[in-house]
Amino acid sequence: MSSQIDHLLEENREFTPSPEFAANANGTAELYERAAADREGFWAEQARELLHWHKPFTQTLDWSNPPFAKWFDDGEISVAYNCLDRHVEAGNGDRTAIIFEGEPGDERRISYAELTAEVKKAANALESLGIGHGDRVAIYMPMIPEAAIAMLACARVGAIHSVVFGGFSADSLRSRVDDAAARLVITADGGYRKGRVSALKPAVDMALADRGHGPQETVEHVLVVKRGGNDVEWTEGRDLWWHDVVEAAPAEHEAKAFPAENPLYILYTSGTTGKPKGVVHSSGGYLTQAVFTNKYTLDIHPETDIFWCTADIGWVTGHTYVVYGPLALGATVMMYEGTPDTPHPGRFWELIQKYGITILYTAPTAIRSFMKSGRQIPQQFDLSSLRLLGSVGEPINPEAWMWYREVIGADKTPIVDTWWQTETGATMISPMPGVTATKPGAAQVPVPGITVDVVDENGEPVDNGNGGLLVVTSPWPSMLRGVWGDPERFKETYWAKFADKGYYFAGDGARKDEDGEIWLLGRVDDVMNVAGHRLSTTEIESALVAHESVAEAAVVGAVDEMTGKAVVAFVIIKESYLSQHAPEGLAGQLRLWVGEQIGPIARPRDIYIVSELPKTRSGKIMRRLLRDVADGHEVGDTTTLADTAVMSIISAQVK
Ligand code: PRX
């Protein structure tokens, strides 16, 4: 199979940072030069400058046994101390660490002094339950401050947390608890989602119920935060209320240091198929790149910014850009419990206005759903506090990028499109605001100190203007250290394809533009071979989203006798368009439009207008299921969908 991916999209807009933004930005062009001159030295310098080491390291990178990397190996560090105590000791205890708003509208502001005090108590509580260095703790929580407190308390005692997204089922929780052999589960009675309490404790009870078949029961206790106020079933001896145990715990707790390579957490990622993999992250290396990218890529100024990353703590984005990175920097983070459309579709914008959020970091799927409901909603709010916008999780279509900049960013805020993965731990490719002239839809350049390339099947770099496979060509501080309990799977999944070169293969397609900058093209599994051309889903979707009527699009390759694969598109139309135009004939217009925009080869054979797209709980489109519909097959496994009813709606609409 050829790895060449044909390039169709032409996008020539470019936005240079304003002189005012550049003058105040943390990042400078000089960072790239320093990193290029001595990559490892650069990371050592960042680790020393940005973090406190209880025991300084003398060795930067040990790559003697690839792909098992060690960074800052002889150093000792306390992640919790870096995120908490040191800010208090530096006199910043009064600074707000977390601004929390619950979905019903309840508010809490937690200062660094208060957060430190809470985490100390929680750490004592964990130790009183026998949890210590190396133990695994599953955290199954709503988006409330106790989730962050639980994570930091684990870090403080050297335990390894495994956060399981609160929207996952009892079965998913069970398999993750079993795989990690967790001794403790921290949960809540429930949390507020879409205007009602969504229960969590019953799922924990189910996950831990007599299993007979499963491995030996490892969970000794379940610690339950009271949030939703629901009645819960109680297993005496096992279940404990958080408020009883934590409130009773002693207030003082010394932050002990652990070796830099001590695992900080496991985070399970399913990829698109298969048994979830427990991605393992370290302490020192992870925190270095987390704090570095918060400071330079997201340009957070801890004294003045109010930073809102909208991701749930159940995802890696919530780990690196809600908890560890911003708190290590001493920044103020926003944490919102609920959904963006509850109780009204302008909730996000209302929160930005209310708290004066200065930096917003969200996902393309959210941006496209805001586009679908229309700009008149954000326009009712004062968004003038915003000075920087970020995007993460999927390729952002150029038109969605433009909408984000114009409607949310008042046509002036820079946008950073940040490419990374659960496995990479922190951002790898992104413009640097204040330095990079941004291009709508492109992640553009590797972060200083990171080396990536786009290569062909033999690992040879493609020329500028061409597409291929995205690889990371040298180890990086926040790289995953392995797959929990399965070193072979770690090697096989990420390192086997280009073993001779030592490249990490990310599973994504990308192209280099004429300037050598990088544009993500989606997962290579989604690439379609149409009449001998390898087309990426991303570019055709972007062409569709560029039409005035389209809010969201998903493209798949369906079996076709003539061409091998044919392009089939599923589109969601903007509400504003539907209120003024009849949908008749629109599919035909869109076919022609794609042909004009990017060429006849990409013209969809079929276009279906639908009201929903199948998405994972983190918002990624599951094209595999749409492929089943396009091929007229029985729809495959839908258990990882956020809303399992969506596929029957789509199948009905297609018929
Ligand atoms: O396909 C890429 C896409 O999301 C994948 C990683 O997903 P996950 O591990 O859930 O992490 C999400 C948070 C980082 C990648 O392999 N992806 C992520 N960010 C981008 C992206 N695709 C294009 N552009 C991005 N900025």
Side-chain angles (χ1 to χ4, degrees):
M1 186 185 74
S2 150
S3 56
Q4 177 72 41
I5 301 176
D6 291 303
H7 155 221
L8 305 168
L9 186 81
E10 233 13 277
E11 173 58 68
N12 298 315
R13 288 171 285 200
E14 206 174 75
F15 298 88
T16 37
S18 72
E20 305 80 70
F21 193 100
N24 292 313
N26 288 330
T28 57
E30 192 249 346
L31 280 174
Y32 291 99
E33 289 159 25
R34 249 159 61 206
D38 174 10
R39 209 180 70 85
E40 287 178 31
F42 174 79
W43 282 120
E45 198 178 293
Q46 296 307 323
R48 292 189 182 110
E49 198 175 296
L50 297 170
L51 299 176
H52 172 85
W53 294 82
H54 278 67
K55 175 171 174 252
F57 57 87
T58 62
Q59 186 184 31
T60 301
L61 169 65
D62 176 357
W63 191 234
S64 57
N65 178 28
F68 300 93
K70 290 180 182 160
W71 283 86
F72 317 125
D73 190 29
D74 60 346
E76 287 182 11
I77 190 165
S78 161
V79 170
Y81 178 83
N82 273 283
C83 294
L84 301 163
D85 314 55
R86 70 162 168 157
H87 305 311
V88 180
E89 288 168 17
N92 294 321
D94 290 340
R95 185 183 295 159
T96 303
I98 298 178
I99 301 175
F100 169 73
E101 182 158 321
E103 201 186 70
D106 51 322
E107 293 169 33
R108 277 165 77 185
R109 274 175 194 267
I110 306 173
S111 68
Y112 271 95
E114 289 162 343
L115 189 65
T116 304
E118 276 305 303
V119 172
K120 285 181 177 175
K121 283 183 158 197
N124 280 320
L126 294 188
E127 283 176 343
S128 75
L129 298 175
I131 299 297
H133 186 198
D135 287 325
R136 274 82 61 202
V137 175
I139 298 179
Y140 185 63
M141 299 270 269
M143 266 306 267
I144 57 174
E146 283 75 11
I149 294 170
M151 291 162 76
L152 290 162
C154 288
R156 199 169 181 96
V157 304
I160 304 168
H161 61 69
S162 157
V163 181
V164 180
F165 174 58
F168 280 143
S169 65
D171 266 351
S172 313
L173 176 61
R174 179 199 302 243
S175 62
R176 287 160 174 76
V177 164
D178 284 348
D179 188 73
R183 293 183 57 201
L184 174 70
V185 179
I186 307 180
T187 187
D189 52 352
Y192 291 88
R193 299 289 296 169
K194 298 188 196 290
R196 56 182 192 84
V197 175
S198 145
L200 286 170
K201 175 67 166 49
V204 176
D205 292 335
M206 255 161 79
L208 302 183
D210 61 343
R211 15 191 144 187
H213 54 285
Q216 195 70 26
E217 178 65 89
T218 55
V219 174
E220 294 155 23
H221 288 108
V222 177
L223 205 46
V224 189
V225 177
K226 201 175 190 74
R227 165 69 186 153
N230 283 10
D231 285 341
V232 289
E233 303 235 341
W234 210 248
T235 304
E236 286 307 327
R238 187 195 71 182
D239 297 352
L240 302 161
W241 283 112
W242 170 277
H243 54 260
D244 288 340
V245 183
V246 174
E247 290 321 312
E252 266 323 307
H253 185 278
E254 195 199 337
K256 263 204 338 237
F258 297 97
E261 281 297 325
N262 204 45
L264 179 62
Y265 64 84
I266 305 172
L267 188 58
Y268 286 86
T269 169
S270 44
T272 32
T273 49
K275 173 173 173 277
K277 300 181 280 282
V279 168
V280 180
H281 280 292
S282 72
S283 300
Y286 170 76
L287 201 63
T288 298
Q289 199 173 329
V291 71
F292 179 83
T293 50
N294 272 272
K295 176 164 180 180
Y296 294 107
T297 308
L298 291 164
D299 194 43
I300 298 178
H301 293 63
E303 307 80 17
T304 47
D305 277 315
I306 301 183
F307 172 60
W308 187 17
C309 164
T310 65
D312 190 280
I313 43 115
W315 315 120
V316 71
T317 313
H319 286 58
T320 308
Y321 297 102
V322 179
V323 181
Y324 290 113
L327 296 183
L329 205 54
T332 301
V333 295
M334 173 78 205
M335 201 170 175
Y336 169 60
E337 180 185 32
T339 45
D341 54 356
T342 309
H344 61 80
R347 189 65 192 271
F348 265 31
W349 320 120
E350 179 186 63
L351 290 169
I352 289 169
Q353 171 180 296
K354 178 170 173 186
Y355 294 109
I357 306 286
T358 57
I359 305 173
L360 174 69
Y361 189 35
T362 193
T365 182
I367 298 163
R368 290 187 302 255
S369 78
F370 298 134
M371 288 171 72
K372 174 181 162 193
S373 346
R375 60 179 67 204
Q376 74 287 354
I377 295 170
Q379 278 169 350
Q380 290 159 25
F381 298 88
D382 177 5
L383 305 180
S384 60
S385 56
L386 288 171
R387 62 176 199 88
L388 175 65
L389 302 173
S391 171
V392 58
E394 279 185 295
I396 178 164
N397 321 104
E399 281 322 306
W401 194 103
M402 288 303 299
W403 189 95
Y404 197 26
R405 179 180 160 101
E406 285 170 9
V407 180
I408 307 307
D411 209 8
K412 64 170 205 286
T413 58
I415 296 181
V416 288
D417 173 16
T418 63
W419 178 89
W420 58 294
Q421 306 177 296
T422 304
E423 291 86 344
T424 70
T427 295
M428 302 291 280
I429 309 177
S430 167
M432 173 117 49
V435 177
T436 315
T438 54
K439 301 174 179 177
Q444 298 184 279
V445 283
V447 163
I450 299 298
T451 58
V452 304
D453 209 342
V454 181
V455 300
D456 65 18
E457 207 61 29
N458 301 316
E460 296 305 324
V462 303
D463 293 332
N464 287 357
N466 289 332
L469 311 175
L470 179 67
V471 292
V472 185
T473 54
S474 39
W476 64 102
S478 64
M479 64 196 280
L480 75 165
R481 298 304 197 258
V483 171
W484 183 257
D486 201 344
E488 279 313 309
R489 191 166 180 205
F490 171 57
K491 289 193 215 164
E492 190 49 41
T493 311
Y494 304 107
W495 303 91
K497 190 163 178 78
F498 299 110
D500 53 330
K501 306 229 181 233
Y503 292 170
Y504 168 90
F505 173 51
D508 283 355
R511 78 176 166 89
K512 293 190 215 166
D513 67 15
E514 296 306 331
D515 305 322
E517 296 194 340
I518 290 172
W519 297 66
L520 276 302
L521 295 175
R523 306 292 297 169
V524 288
D525 302 343
D526 290 330
V527 167
M528 308 161 278
N529 195 328
V530 179
H533 298 271
R534 287 177 45 88
L535 307 183
S536 99
T537 54
T538 303
E539 294 194 324
I540 306 174
E541 288 163 5
S542 291
L544 285 161
V545 175
H547 189 267
E548 54 167 344
S549 68
V550 177
E552 287 205 65
V555 161
V556 298
V559 176
D560 187 278
E561 276 180 19
M562 293 279 293
T563 54
K565 282 286 161 68
V567 178
V568 174
F570 297 78
V571 296
I572 299 182
I573 306 301
K574 287 180 187 158
E575 284 162 18
S576 58
Y577 186 90
L578 283 178
S579 66
Q580 289 173 19
H581 305 82
E584 280 75 47
L586 184 56
Q589 280 177 43
L590 289 174
R591 284 191 74 236
L592 292 175
W593 168 262
V594 173
E596 286 162 19
Q597 293 294 303
I598 57 176
I601 182 76
R603 206 186 285 149
R605 182 189 74 187
D606 306 312
I607 294 191
Y608 297 111
I609 294 177
V610 293
S611 57
E612 303 282 352
L613 290 173
K615 291 183 184 159
T616 62
R617 288 172 178 84
S618 66
K620 294 191 205 298
I621 298 173
M622 286 187 73
R623 293 177 185 76
R624 153 173 86 71
L625 299 175
L626 293 173
R627 227 155 24 222
D628 292 339
V629 174
D631 285 338
H633 292 161
E634 181 100 22
V635 173
D637 182 6
T638 58
T639 47
T640 53
L641 282 181
D643 175 358
T644 44
V646 163
M647 283 319 296
S648 30
I649 299 173
I650 294 173
S651 301
Q653 284 167 340
V654 164
K655 279 184 192 119

